[in-house]
Amino acid sequence: MNKISWSIVILVFVMLSCSKEIAERFAGFQSPPDFPATVYKFENNPVTRAGFELGRKLFYEPRLSVNNTISCGSCHIQSSAFTQHGHDLSHGVDDRLGTRNSPPIMNLAWTPLFMWDGGVFDLDLQPIIPITSHEEMDENLENVLQKLRQDNEYRRLFRNAFGSEEISTAFLMKSLSQFMLMCVSDQSKYDKVRRSQGETFSPAEQAGYELFRQKCAGCHREPLLTDFSFRNNGLQPGLNNDRGRGAITLNPEDDFRFKVPSLRNVAYTAPYMHDGRFITLEAVLDHYADKVHDNANLDPLLKQGGVLGIPLNPQQRSDIINFLKTLSDPSFIKNPDLSEQ
């Protein structure tokens, strides 16, 4: 056998070995033992290896956009906990400017409503918004399906995942959900301290944790670090006068209320707020300490005893930031199974 033939044999062996390794380590969706019950209806879309792999390929597929240039992964970058780092507002095809900051894709199995305003109630429907939005991917679903149907590899992947070569909207959405559901972050230092897994907080981190529980946990509830509510946190309305939840419910009492984001991996996800107006965690805490804007819908937790905001001295702000950094999960942002293959 010549050198070329041996090279082919070795390559095939390596590929089969890697495929076997992936199959052996893929255990489907696993809920961390100390997390609450999930809200996603897994009975309608159980996560399988084939479905997850299809969803991963689609997540990084630029043909989901009108000019085949950007993918879901363009605005949700793994190294930034699946946010678009460095952009206050999302950037879509032809560098079109969106109206909001790209939220992280993380722990979505526990999320009851999606987008900053809660305008989508089902993860299986969520990708329709960015795919069809003019400022984002500006494509329509039928064009996307036609592109995928022309690709033999996709027909094979859909068959493996769903038992049929049919490439439909339902299968497209379900496979993307399977990938996003597997974006679980639960291996931060904070998690290891909670679970007594050999980690301990430094004195500054412990002081920050105690302050966090006193002053922040009313909205950022442990262990997911959000209560999934919609609150007005005293921001001045932005340039586009985004009404947030109010534009969905048409209830004036919901005006300028936005979803409480999880603080997991917050050190990776700058800039902050729905419109990315704050570049640093220090600026975020400065807002809560000194710059909360009073208005009719201001959350009551930010106006207690007639005092606006959350009083914090410089040392307290520093300690809280030290704690927030313990929420970083390096294994999540480096997980090869979530990376573009």
Side-chain angles (χ1 to χ4, degrees):
M1 192 177 289
N2 59 37
K3 291 183 178 179
I4 295 177
S5 298
W6 274 113
S7 297
I8 293 173
V9 170
I10 292 170
L11 178 59
V12 170
F13 177 78
V14 170
M15 291 175 65
L16 289 173
S17 298
C18 291
S19 178
K20 182 180 178 182
E21 179 185 349
I22 292 171
E24 287 176 348
R25 74 165 180 255
F26 186 84
F29 178 84
Q30 301 288 314
S31 180
D34 53 347
F35 276 22
T38 58
V39 298
Y40 184 79
K41 296 180 180 178
F42 284 96
E43 63 271 20
N44 296 335
N45 186 29
V47 178
T48 65
R49 181 172 65 87
F52 164 77
E53 290 178 349
L54 171 58
R56 178 177 60 199
K57 184 173 176 63
L58 288 166
F59 186 84
Y60 293 106
E61 175 56 76
R63 282 177 285 184
L64 270 59
S65 64
V66 67
N67 58 4
N68 305 323
T69 59
I70 68 167
S71 67
C72 304
S74 300
C75 293
H76 299 280
I77 302 166
Q78 184 184 7
S79 60
S80 300
F82 293 101
T83 62
Q84 194 173 21
H85 181 72
H87 292 283
D88 51 355
L89 303 176
S90 63
H91 287 234
V93 295
D94 298 326
D95 209 29
R96 295 174 195 167
L97 194 63
T99 59
R100 292 175 179 165
N101 181 255
S102 298
I105 292 177
M106 171 181 63
N107 297 341
L108 299 186
W110 293 270
T111 304
L113 295 170
F114 301 90
M115 301 178 63
W116 281 103
D117 56 21
V120 177
F121 62 87
D122 188 336
L123 181 60
D124 294 353
L125 301 176
Q126 169 60 34
I128 294 173
I129 303 299
I131 289 172
T132 60
S133 171
H134 174 77
E135 296 83 8
E136 297 183 63
M137 301 170 96
D138 195 26
E139 186 56 290
N140 68 67
L141 289 173
E142 186 54 38
N143 283 347
V144 170
L145 298 176
Q146 288 298 338
K147 294 178 198 177
L148 300 179
R149 288 165 183 159
Q150 294 170 13
D151 189 315
N152 291 333
E153 176 69 3
Y154 271 116
R155 290 200 296 272
R156 182 185 69 81
L157 290 171
F158 273 86
R159 182 178 66 249
N160 289 347
F162 299 107
S164 168
E165 288 191 1
E166 178 189 7
I167 297 179
S168 65
T169 300
F171 288 160
L172 172 67
M173 296 298 127
K174 286 180 181 295
S175 56
L176 283 168
S177 287
Q178 289 192 40
F179 172 76
M180 292 188 287
L181 288 165
M182 293 295 289
C183 295
V184 176
S185 178
D186 73 317
Q187 294 297 314
S188 66
K189 180 176 182 177
Y190 160 80
D191 292 301
K192 294 172 183 177
V193 172
R194 272 175 53 89
R195 297 171 186 152
S196 301
Q197 293 178 329
E199 295 270 9
T200 57
F201 287 142
S202 70
E205 291 166 350
Q206 183 63 42
Y209 181 42
E210 292 169 5
L211 284 166
F212 173 86
R213 297 182 73 179
Q214 295 167 20
K215 298 177 178 290
C216 311
C219 300
H220 298 283
R221 186 179 303 162
E222 299 179 76
L224 292 168
L225 283 302
T226 174
D227 65 355
F228 300 107
S229 64
F230 297 84
R231 299 177 186 257
N232 181 316
N233 64 349
L235 294 173
Q236 291 275 14
L239 293 176
N240 62 4
N241 204 39
D242 189 340
R243 291 174 59 200
R245 185 69 174 156
I248 301 300
T249 66
L250 303 182
N251 182 349
E253 293 183 0
D254 285 332
D255 280 351
F256 308 110
R257 288 180 174 169
F258 295 90
K259 182 193 291 184
V260 175
S262 172
L263 296 182
R264 284 178 171 273
N265 294 303
V266 70
Y268 302 139
T269 60
Y272 306 104
M273 304 297 177
H274 68 279
D275 55 6
R277 68 178 65 190
F278 297 134
I279 305 300
T280 65
L281 290 172
E282 287 81 2
V284 172
L285 291 185
D286 287 347
H287 162 74
Y288 284 116
D290 303 320
K291 299 179 176 63
V292 167
H293 173 66
D294 196 7
N295 61 70
N297 293 339
L298 181 66
D299 193 276
L301 290 177
L302 295 176
K303 193 176 182 179
Q304 299 189 73
V307 177
L308 280 179
I310 304 172
L312 294 168
N313 64 41
Q315 183 61 54
Q316 290 174 322
R317 299 181 206 188
S318 176
D319 289 341
I320 289 176
I321 289 173
N322 277 312
F323 165 69
L324 292 177
K325 291 179 179 178
T326 72
L327 303 176
S328 298
D329 182 354
S331 65
F332 176 64
I333 67 167
K334 296 177 182 178
N335 184 346
D337 289 340
L338 303 180
S339 301
E340 186 171 6
Q341 302 298 297

